[in-house]
Amino acid sequence: MPTVPMVEYDQATGLVKEVFDDILTTRKTQRTPNFWKTLASHPPTLARIWKESKDMMTPGRLDLLVKEMIGVAISTTNRAAYCINAHTAAAMKQGMDREMLGELMSVIAYFNTVNRLADGYQVEPDIFPPLE
């Protein structure tokens, strides 16, 4: 159950309406996702997180598919159901298919397992040379 009421588009004013309009334009959609409607309960947070999202989710050395797949991995590890759904759908729009999703889930499960084993055994880190 949500802790705050969502702000619907027709209720949005000022900064919230500006951000909502930017979300609709940027994402080329007619609907504001529930995540953004919920963050609109605190307009400064909405604006900050939307800006970070726009800055982060642009192609760079990592393409958008890789970034969305990382989103799926982190969301799965954190058990964030809303984000798993959103990033899986976004990754599929970027070209991920069911076979890739299955492989991604296997990679996530593997790394979560070996991370827990390394933590449980308190394995001393190996020292690797720094990136150049």
Side-chain angles (χ1 to χ4, degrees):
M1 178 172 192
T3 58
V4 297
M6 291 188 287
V7 177
E8 297 297 333
Y9 183 84
D10 60 357
Q11 301 167 325
T13 60
L15 180 59
V16 172
K17 181 146 181 13
E18 287 177 36
V19 173
F20 280 7
D21 285 341
D22 193 28
I23 290 169
L24 297 176
T25 300
T26 301
R27 293 198 167 181
K28 297 177 179 81
T29 185
Q30 301 294 315
R31 184 183 162 280
T32 307
N34 288 343
F35 177 75
W36 302 109
K37 291 191 294 188
T38 301
L39 290 187
S41 67
H42 189 256
T45 299
L46 171 69
R48 178 177 54 84
I49 298 299
W50 173 242
K51 181 184 180 323
E52 289 177 15
S53 177
K54 280 181 62 174
D55 291 347
M56 186 61 52
M57 298 309 288
T58 58
R61 292 296 299 248
L62 300 177
D63 65 29
L64 292 179
L65 175 56
V66 170
K67 290 181 179 188
E68 290 296 353
M69 290 174 77
I70 291 169
V72 172
I74 299 298
S75 300
T76 299
T77 298
N78 288 333
R79 298 179 179 193
Y82 180 91
C83 297
I84 294 167
N85 183 286
H87 291 294
T88 299
M92 291 184 144
K93 284 182 183 176
Q94 294 296 323
M96 182 176 74
D97 58 28
R98 289 177 188 266
E99 188 174 333
M100 289 171 73
L101 177 61
E103 188 173 340
L104 175 61
M105 289 298 167
S106 292
V107 169
I108 294 165
Y110 167 76
F111 278 104
N112 277 316
T113 297
V114 297
N115 282 192
R116 286 186 179 97
L117 287 168
D119 278 351
Y121 283 112
Q122 295 293 294
V123 177
E124 180 135 350
D126 298 299
I127 303 300
F128 295 101
L131 294 175
E132 295 182 22

mmCIF file of all heavy atoms in Angstrom, residues 2 19 30 32 41 45 50 53 59-60 69 79-80 101-102 106:
data_model
loop_
_atom_site.group_PDB
_atom_site.id
_atom_site.type_symbol
_atom_site.label_atom_id
_atom_site.label_comp_id
_atom_site.label_asym_id
_atom_site.label_seq_id
_atom_site.Cartn_x
_atom_site.Cartn_y
_atom_site.Cartn_z
ATOM 1 N N PRO A 2 0.653 2.174 -0.895
ATOM 2 C CA PRO A 2 1.479 3.379 -0.958
ATOM 3 C C PRO A 2 1.404 4.191 0.337
ATOM 4 O O PRO A 2 0.403 4.189 1.037
ATOM 5 C CB PRO A 2 0.879 4.175 -2.117
ATOM 6 C CG PRO A 2 0.074 3.196 -2.901
ATOM 7 C CD PRO A 2 -0.375 2.147 -1.933
ATOM 8 N N VAL A 19 7.583 18.758 -14.969
ATOM 9 C CA VAL A 19 8.280 17.468 -15.007
ATOM 10 C C VAL A 19 7.424 16.427 -15.710
ATOM 11 O O VAL A 19 7.914 15.683 -16.567
ATOM 12 C CB VAL A 19 8.689 17.007 -13.593
ATOM 13 C CG1 VAL A 19 9.257 15.592 -13.623
ATOM 14 C CG2 VAL A 19 9.701 17.971 -12.985
ATOM 15 N N GLN A 30 1.715 8.668 -23.441
ATOM 16 C CA GLN A 30 0.537 9.448 -23.066
ATOM 17 C C GLN A 30 0.217 9.319 -21.577
ATOM 18 O O GLN A 30 -0.707 9.946 -21.091
ATOM 19 C CB GLN A 30 -0.690 8.966 -23.876
ATOM 20 C CG GLN A 30 -0.515 9.087 -25.370
ATOM 21 C CD GLN A 30 -0.419 10.539 -25.814
ATOM 22 O OE1 GLN A 30 -1.197 11.374 -25.372
ATOM 23 N NE2 GLN A 30 0.546 10.838 -26.668
ATOM 24 N N THR A 32 1.691 9.048 -17.486
ATOM 25 C CA THR A 32 2.751 9.225 -16.502
ATOM 26 C C THR A 32 2.812 7.972 -15.629
ATOM 27 O O THR A 32 1.818 7.599 -14.999
ATOM 28 C CB THR A 32 2.469 10.456 -15.608
ATOM 29 O OG1 THR A 32 2.242 11.592 -16.438
ATOM 30 C CG2 THR A 32 3.628 10.731 -14.675
ATOM 31 N N SER A 41 4.559 13.721 -4.951
ATOM 32 C CA SER A 41 4.115 14.178 -3.630
ATOM 33 C C SER A 41 5.174 15.083 -2.984
ATOM 34 O O SER A 41 4.870 15.820 -2.059
ATOM 35 C CB SER A 41 3.800 12.989 -2.719
ATOM 36 O OG SER A 41 4.987 12.270 -2.417
ATOM 37 N N THR A 45 12.032 16.305 -5.006
ATOM 38 C CA THR A 45 12.547 14.956 -5.248
ATOM 39 C C THR A 45 12.179 14.497 -6.653
ATOM 40 O O THR A 45 13.006 13.920 -7.369
ATOM 41 C CB THR A 45 12.015 13.968 -4.196
ATOM 42 O OG1 THR A 45 12.462 14.395 -2.903
ATOM 43 C CG2 THR A 45 12.491 12.554 -4.457
ATOM 44 N N TRP A 50 14.069 12.824 -11.724
ATOM 45 C CA TRP A 50 13.815 12.845 -13.170
ATOM 46 C C TRP A 50 15.050 13.344 -13.920
ATOM 47 O O TRP A 50 15.445 12.773 -14.931
ATOM 48 C CB TRP A 50 12.583 13.678 -13.512
ATOM 49 C CG TRP A 50 12.421 13.826 -14.994
ATOM 50 C CD1 TRP A 50 12.448 14.983 -15.705
ATOM 51 C CD2 TRP A 50 12.225 12.777 -15.954
ATOM 52 N NE1 TRP A 50 12.292 14.723 -17.047
ATOM 53 C CE2 TRP A 50 12.153 13.376 -17.224
ATOM 54 C CE3 TRP A 50 12.125 11.394 -15.869
ATOM 55 C CZ2 TRP A 50 11.980 12.645 -18.400
ATOM 56 C CZ3 TRP A 50 11.943 10.658 -17.040
ATOM 57 C CH2 TRP A 50 11.869 11.275 -18.276
ATOM 58 N N SER A 53 17.586 10.648 -13.941
ATOM 59 C CA SER A 53 17.164 9.605 -14.870
ATOM 60 C C SER A 53 17.485 9.998 -16.310
ATOM 61 O O SER A 53 18.045 9.205 -17.074
ATOM 62 C CB SER A 53 15.667 9.331 -14.712
ATOM 63 O OG SER A 53 15.241 8.374 -15.655
ATOM 64 N N PRO A 59 22.457 7.161 -24.177
ATOM 65 C CA PRO A 59 23.576 6.325 -24.624
ATOM 66 C C PRO A 59 24.915 6.988 -24.339
ATOM 67 O O PRO A 59 25.078 8.197 -24.490
ATOM 68 C CB PRO A 59 23.350 6.199 -26.128
ATOM 69 C CG PRO A 59 21.918 6.551 -26.349
ATOM 70 C CD PRO A 59 21.554 7.519 -25.264
ATOM 71 N N GLY A 60 25.844 6.213 -23.867
ATOM 72 C CA GLY A 60 27.219 6.653 -23.629
ATOM 73 C C GLY A 60 28.106 5.496 -24.045
ATOM 74 O O GLY A 60 27.843 4.838 -25.053
ATOM 75 N N MET A 69 19.429 -3.473 -18.603
ATOM 76 C CA MET A 69 19.721 -4.794 -18.044
ATOM 77 C C MET A 69 20.379 -4.671 -16.671
ATOM 78 O O MET A 69 20.087 -5.468 -15.770
ATOM 79 C CB MET A 69 20.586 -5.600 -19.019
ATOM 80 C CG MET A 69 19.818 -6.009 -20.272
ATOM 81 S SD MET A 69 20.834 -6.808 -21.529
ATOM 82 C CE MET A 69 20.994 -8.442 -20.827
ATOM 83 N N ARG A 79 14.955 -6.807 -4.802
ATOM 84 C CA ARG A 79 13.567 -7.267 -4.706
ATOM 85 C C ARG A 79 12.565 -6.123 -4.885
ATOM 86 O O ARG A 79 11.576 -6.024 -4.170
ATOM 87 C CB ARG A 79 13.331 -7.995 -3.392
ATOM 88 C CG ARG A 79 14.174 -9.224 -3.250
ATOM 89 C CD ARG A 79 13.937 -9.914 -1.941
ATOM 90 N NE ARG A 79 14.757 -11.119 -1.878
ATOM 91 C CZ ARG A 79 14.600 -12.057 -0.980
ATOM 92 N NH1 ARG A 79 13.675 -11.952 -0.062
ATOM 93 N NH2 ARG A 79 15.378 -13.109 -0.999
ATOM 94 N N ALA A 80 12.851 -5.263 -5.839
ATOM 95 C CA ALA A 80 12.001 -4.108 -6.122
ATOM 96 C C ALA A 80 11.074 -4.452 -7.290
ATOM 97 O O ALA A 80 11.403 -4.225 -8.460
ATOM 98 C CB ALA A 80 12.865 -2.890 -6.453
ATOM 99 N N LEU A 101 16.713 -12.556 -21.302
ATOM 100 C CA LEU A 101 16.209 -12.366 -19.942
ATOM 101 C C LEU A 101 16.548 -13.574 -19.080
ATOM 102 O O LEU A 101 17.002 -13.434 -17.949
ATOM 103 C CB LEU A 101 14.703 -12.099 -19.945
ATOM 104 C CG LEU A 101 14.055 -11.960 -18.565
ATOM 105 C CD1 LEU A 101 14.654 -10.787 -17.778
ATOM 106 C CD2 LEU A 101 12.544 -11.791 -18.706
ATOM 107 N N GLY A 102 16.362 -14.777 -19.630
ATOM 108 C CA GLY A 102 16.706 -15.986 -18.880
ATOM 109 C C GLY A 102 18.180 -16.049 -18.536
ATOM 110 O O GLY A 102 18.568 -16.393 -17.410
ATOM 111 N N SER A 106 20.017 -15.827 -14.816
ATOM 112 C CA SER A 106 21.017 -16.800 -14.369
ATOM 113 C C SER A 106 22.287 -16.113 -13.888
ATOM 114 O O SER A 106 22.881 -16.505 -12.878
ATOM 115 C CB SER A 106 21.360 -17.772 -15.510
ATOM 116 O OG SER A 106 20.253 -18.581 -15.795
#
